Amino acid sequence: VIGKDRVTRIGDYAFSPNAKRLTEDQRTVRAQISSILIPEGVVEVGAHAFDQCRKLREVVLPATLEKLGPGAENFWSGQGESKDPFHLCPSLENLVVADGNRSYRMEGPLFLARTEGGEELLTHIGPVTGHVVIPEGSTDLPEECFSGCGGITGVSLPETLRKIGEKAFSGCTALTEVVIPGSVERILSDA
């Protein structure tokens, strides 16, 4: 609550040290944020809210959250925003999605958005090792989604998958097995 008004939306760049019109002191404080608890009642968090929050280790999302804005610009392609709201948060190791949230969920280290057609993989949280199973219903592996995950040894892709994004498995040095289903129509460069 701010004054007498309930807060239901958190704006673009809300926690980011890259927001416009910040003083150097405000940028410094935002660059040090390590934990964020989004309270129940909030239904939307804006675009780039976590952009460059490099020390952010933990985020808790409420059951009421319906929309989480996209993240920073895709580094490799330069073609717009990443679907991963935590794209430039390299220290993030714990993401909690409250029970009852109908828009998002965690499955192991995978952060998924629930869509009308099923689920969409947005990113992974923390280190990923061993054999990774991408949930059925996923249609797209985002750009750079597992880039640098040197501990992944194998990947199971669902029959619903249509596209493997640019650099999706770049730097996965232990990866020895990926079976690409016939449903895949596009594999982008350096995947």
Side-chain angles (χ1 to χ4, degrees):
V1 175
I2 297 177
K4 295 180 182 180
D5 298 324
R6 289 189 57 153
V7 175
T8 59
R9 288 176 168 60
I10 295 175
D12 297 350
Y13 292 95
F15 309 106
S16 174
N18 288 342
K20 294 177 182 172
R21 301 187 192 118
L22 292 179
T23 67
E24 268 317 300
D25 287 344
Q26 289 169 322
R27 285 186 201 290
T28 300
V29 167
R30 287 186 178 195
Q32 300 303 314
I33 293 173
S34 63
S35 180
I36 297 173
L37 168 73
I38 308 291
E40 288 296 332
V42 171
V43 296
E44 182 177 344
V45 175
H48 311 284
F50 309 97
D51 183 32
Q52 299 280 333
C53 289
R54 296 198 177 277
K55 293 191 176 183
L56 184 61
R57 290 186 342 268
E58 178 178 48
V59 176
V60 178
L61 303 176
T64 54
L65 187 68
E66 297 172 3
K67 183 178 180 194
L68 189 55
E73 181 178 307
N74 286 335
F75 176 77
W76 297 109
S77 70
Q79 296 178 4
E81 300 168 319
S82 168
K83 292 179 182 181
D84 175 2
F86 307 105
H87 181 66
L88 295 174
C89 301
S91 299
L92 188 60
E93 57 191 34
N94 190 28
L95 177 63
V96 177
V97 179
D99 289 341
N101 186 297
R102 296 192 315 224
S103 300
Y104 301 97
R105 74 181 187 92
M106 293 294 297
E107 183 171 308
L110 305 181
F111 180 50
L112 305 156
R114 296 176 175 163
T115 65
E116 289 181 19
E119 294 182 320
E120 179 178 12
L121 174 65
L122 297 178
T123 190
H124 69 86
I125 305 299
V128 181
T129 59
H131 191 91
V132 176
V133 178
I134 307 301
E136 195 64 39
S138 298
T139 59
D140 181 14
L141 278 185
E143 192 172 293
E144 301 179 58
C145 63
F146 294 103
S147 181
C149 293
I152 294 177
T153 57
V155 179
S156 292
L157 301 173
E159 290 293 331
T160 54
L161 195 69
R162 302 276 179 260
K163 180 179 111 179
I164 299 174
E166 207 170 304
K167 297 192 183 286
F169 297 102
S170 175
C172 294
T173 55
L175 185 60
T176 59
E177 179 186 6
V178 177
V179 176
I180 300 173
S183 60
V184 173
E185 298 166 354
R186 294 179 65 204
I187 300 175
L188 300 182
S189 64
D190 300 317

